[in-house]
Amino acid sequence: MQKQKLPAQYAGALAEYALDWLDLSSAVLLKYERCEWILLAEQEISYVYILLSGKAKVCMSDESGRNLLLCYYVSEGIMGDIELMMGRKEAISSVQAVSPVTCIGLPLHVYAEAMLAHLPFVLRAARGLSVKLHASVSNTTEIILRPFETRLCEYLLQSAQNGVFSERLIDVAEQLGVSYRHLLRSLKSLCEAGLLEKRPDGYHILNEALLREKAAG
């Protein structure tokens, strides 16, 4: 993670969240590399994050420490809003950068009280939480009802960078709720069907149109 004092040109991004009135002397600009963890479940959360660019995935751990993909991706909005509203000091879920991520960090110990007392921000945050709830419910339904190959194809499309899927497969199997062997068999089947090609740097998407067709079910 790279951290610096928030440059003035980024302050305008807070207007969308009704936070342009804040004294930003304690705000920071945070940058994360691909695969870097932004939040870890049950560990201290220091900021409310306003996502400026990039894509991240949200995972929740079970009691054994295994991660399950909660909602496929976030590419805008607020992170840490649930914890802010609940008054929690620890993150509820883990968030990992899928691509380079840039966000504004508002230290909770400085800004939490003022943000919670500002009704326009609270209403904006509530709308964002409603969207997250809908995404989480939809994803849970998909996990229960949709075939694994369909979910895998969607995951590949969302995760690939420049047409290459290179995530750690053990982690992917855990997050999608299948065995490592099942994941390998499914990837092999997609390769044999001409949708993917396995190379040293990962799985290259050869037929995006057909992959999207399969992802749509």
Side-chain angles (χ1 to χ4, degrees):
M1 178 189 71
Q2 298 179 28
K3 179 173 71 173
Q4 66 182 92
K5 182 177 175 61
L6 184 68
Q9 66 263 32
Y10 291 98
L14 294 172
E16 181 184 346
Y17 304 93
L19 292 174
D20 47 327
W21 53 274
L22 284 177
D23 171 10
L24 298 177
S25 57
S26 297
V28 294
L29 187 70
L30 302 169
K31 295 184 178 182
Y32 297 86
E33 298 298 325
R34 182 172 178 268
C35 295
E36 191 172 0
W37 290 99
I38 300 171
L39 291 172
L40 288 172
E42 301 304 325
Q43 293 193 13
E44 183 179 0
I45 178 170
S46 301
Y47 303 98
V48 167
Y49 302 82
I50 307 297
L51 189 56
L52 298 176
S53 65
K55 185 185 292 185
K57 63 182 177 183
V58 182
C59 303
M60 181 167 280
S61 301
D62 63 16
E63 293 182 356
S64 67
R66 296 176 58 208
N67 284 321
L68 178 67
L69 196 63
L70 201 59
C71 63
Y72 284 121
Y73 296 97
V74 291
S75 56
E76 61 181 0
I78 308 172
M79 296 184 292
D81 44 356
I82 297 175
E83 292 82 355
L84 173 67
M85 294 299 182
M86 294 178 65
R88 281 182 58 109
K89 295 182 179 179
E90 299 81 27
I92 290 177
S93 55
S94 298
V95 180
Q96 186 180 32
V98 175
S99 66
V101 167
T102 300
C103 50
I104 296 173
L106 300 172
L108 283 166
H109 73 280
V110 176
Y111 297 109
E113 185 176 349
M115 287 190 292
L116 289 172
H118 190 61
L119 182 58
F121 166 75
V122 172
L123 292 174
R124 175 63 177 79
R127 288 197 297 272
L129 289 170
S130 298
V131 171
K132 290 179 181 180
L133 175 60
H134 180 265
S136 179
V137 171
S138 297
N139 188 57
T140 300
T141 303
E142 289 180 356
I143 291 173
I144 295 172
L145 299 178
R146 296 179 72 193
F148 170 67
E149 185 179 83
T150 300
R151 293 190 290 119
L152 175 60
C153 290
E154 183 174 356
Y155 188 88
L156 291 169
L157 288 165
Q158 293 277 10
S159 301
Q161 299 294 308
N162 299 317
V164 181
F165 175 76
S166 57
E167 290 193 15
R168 188 166 177 259
L169 295 184
I170 292 178
D171 295 336
V172 174
E174 184 177 281
Q175 290 165 11
L176 293 178
V178 298
S179 70
Y180 179 66
R181 288 185 177 181
H182 189 180
L183 175 61
L184 288 180
R185 286 196 298 268
S186 298
L187 289 170
K188 181 180 179 181
S189 176
L190 292 174
C191 288
E192 291 173 346
L195 279 72
L196 304 175
E197 182 179 39
K198 186 178 180 181
R199 301 180 190 173
D201 59 340
Y203 288 85
H204 287 241
I205 296 176
L206 301 181
N207 192 330
E208 182 176 338
L210 185 53
L211 196 62
R212 290 191 180 280
E213 186 177 318
K214 285 184 171 292

